Amino acid sequence: MRMHPTLIRYWIRTPFLLPLAGLIAGIIMQANLQLNLTALGSILAGCVFCIFLFFSLPLRVRFRQSKLGYWIAFLLFWATGLLLTQLKDIRNQKNWLGNFINEESFQSLELVVVQDPVERTKTIRLFGKATSVKTKNKRIPVTGNVLIYVPKKDSCRFALPGDRLLIHKAPVLIELTGNPGEINWVRHYAQEDCTHRVFLKEGEYAFLKKEKYNYRLARFISQLRQYILRRLHETIPDKSAAGLAAALLIGYRQELDPVINQSYSNTGVVHIIAISGMHLALIGWLLQQIFSPFQKNRITQLLSQLLIIAIIWLFSLLAGATPSVLRAALSFSIATAGIFFERKPNSLNSLFAAGFFLLLLQPLWVWDLGFQLSFLAVLSILLFGKTLQQFSSDVPKWLNQPVQLMAVTTAAQVLTLPLTLYYFHQFPASFFLSNLIAIPLSTCILYVLIAILGFGFIPVMGLVLGQTATYLIQLMNQLIQWIEKLPGFIWTQLYWTVPETILLTFLLLAAGHWLINQSKTGFYYTTFLVCLLSSLQWYELQKRNKQSQLVIYNTTRITSFTWIRGKTAISFTTAKDEEDSIHLRYLTKPCEATFQVRQHQFNALAPIVALPDINLMIPDRSRVPPTSSAEPVHFLLVSKMAPFEGLGWLKARPVQLAVLDATLGTKTRNEWRRLLEKEKIPFYDIRVSGAFVHSLR
């Protein structure tokens, strides 16, 4: 089957596509297979040998077998992805912190603060890089990062990168709880070489007065960020407006109103308050205009372009240097270099090159949601934006700019749609209207905020600019919240599985190829993928309609479990106050998405819970055990409410399986384990094995 001419043109003009695809394939495979270093070295050596054999063939043969050459090159980059994923994982290093943390011999751990403190509800979170651990015998150099939670106090609130910290409590490994649908925090923090966390009390830590580590750039960035925040608060007195201004300007989200944040998410404009390629493009355009007088001379042009690139990278560091920001900065740097060399780079190839080099730097960024959304949004604009703009070209001149903006916005939604459905389980149908309002307004606000940084120290200018920014932010917030309240514009409970998400992505690409390039092959692929996706969704629907599950959550805060039949769920919980209720929703919402629940009811926990499929008994030391009966108890749920001596509850009714939940104290847990073993009753310990997820079919 011959490739379509348009696809051939794309293939020729994007040489970084093959290396990027091979690298991603290798990263994903290694993350799932966890091959050892010997096997990876053998695979890479085999690929290099195949490359050598191929290039030893006569030129005529290589030309005829060019497809074979492409496949061998793909396998080479695939093997590179496998090896890099293994080497970049901090857990595979000999001096990894986890190899030397032993609670029996542990005495202290010395760390260096590497990020700004993050204030939480009751604690302050510090991000520390471990340098050495002291045991009973000696001090050992180690590597790895640790999440440190300390009580709120000024000495922690104003910590800077480079400050040294000594802790006297052993960090614990960050592990998955096993709760259905939970975020993979192990993989998330592994991107930053962080594998441990520790919760400290007064007296368990101290800041050292030793010489600071050489974190001059990080300290400068931190101090510059604090200066910008002070300047914004001085000129924008409204707290909510200042919080959004900080998020829009430098990606600082700690002071962002959560209600406003949710409104922006529900209307499809959350990218406005998350630093992205749009922000860098706006700042880059402004810098190009400022330095345009220096473009005539070759030397001044070079210096000005280098300065622009330096400012863009400084802004990227200021915004947190997230993978999505770094991707945009690298793409911008390539485009800016093209201006100096008077060569317009291929935007699509620049995107693939940026993705390739960033994944070489940190392979685990392939799992980062911001990186995925940023990459796919730009790819979607490059593939579909021009065509959509051409379709909307025959409009009156005064409508041209809004229609072009809507065309680009629509193009960006095409390939990000599958991820939106998979991660957020909703689709903001109002994104047309909300982006039409938010993008022009946020552009004006961004330039006003930049003006505040430049001229806000002048009293009159600072007052005028601050009031202007406040008015524009409040106007944008009001309009977004008004759009959010429009009926029928937020489609929720859209639950998609990983296979469905992948199929939808390929379906959109095939449909785009068919419609844009008038390709028959594209039509055939589109038809096939529609049929395949429809069949898969029908299968998922039938499976969910027949499901029956019991989920007992792994959490130390409350005792809670959910019974699921079909698409209906009932949760039983000990949640008492608002904080407990928030925590309960944090547990149950991912569970709803995993099992595609449509209706959910919440009840208080009782000593005996009888359900159509099962019954549960929950021992409570404030109550007497139930009267003896021959009726069996399917599950005995032992929680922190259970008495230390539980023989009376075990003798009341025959127990098929006991479940020890995570709220149970250590002494009571050990006593119950001993008792259950003595009575020969099988049990499941959530602290050891994770959340209890059991199919009742």
Side-chain angles (χ1 to χ4, degrees), residues 561 563 570 572 603 605-618 631-632 634-635 653:
F561 68 88
W563 172 77
I570 303 176
F572 298 85
N603 294 333
L605 195 64
I608 300 290
V609 177
L611 295 166
D613 296 326
I614 54 168
N615 59 66
L616 295 92
M617 184 166 65
I618 299 91
E631 181 184 357
H634 296 99
F635 299 99
R653 294 184 182 182

Side-chain angles (χ1 to χ4, degrees), residues 189-209:
Y189 285 116
Q191 298 173 18
E192 301 179 86
D193 292 339
C194 179
T195 55
H196 287 74
R197 63 180 176 181
V198 61
F199 293 85
L200 301 174
K201 300 177 182 178
E202 289 288 343
E204 293 181 333
Y205 69 96
F207 282 94
L208 302 178
K209 295 183 179 180

Side-chain angles (χ1 to χ4, degrees), residues 275-351:
I275 301 299
S276 61
M278 184 188 78
H279 295 75
L280 265 67
L282 292 172
I283 294 173
W285 177 85
L286 179 63
L287 291 172
Q288 292 290 356
Q289 301 307 308
I290 293 173
F291 288 101
S292 58
F294 302 96
Q295 304 301 308
K296 297 178 181 180
N297 184 281
R298 191 70 173 168
I299 296 177
T300 56
Q301 183 190 34
L302 173 62
L303 294 176
S304 64
Q305 297 305 317
L306 290 175
L307 183 58
I308 289 172
I309 292 174
I311 294 173
I312 288 294
W313 280 98
L314 176 63
F315 174 78
S316 301
L317 296 175
L318 196 61
T322 60
S324 58
V325 174
L326 294 178
R327 194 278 313 156
L330 188 55
S331 297
F332 181 87
S333 301
I334 295 172
T336 305
I339 293 176
F340 174 75
F341 291 108
E342 298 180 352
R343 295 187 62 183
K344 185 177 180 181
N346 183 304
S347 299
L348 199 57
N349 195 50
S350 298
L351 175 66

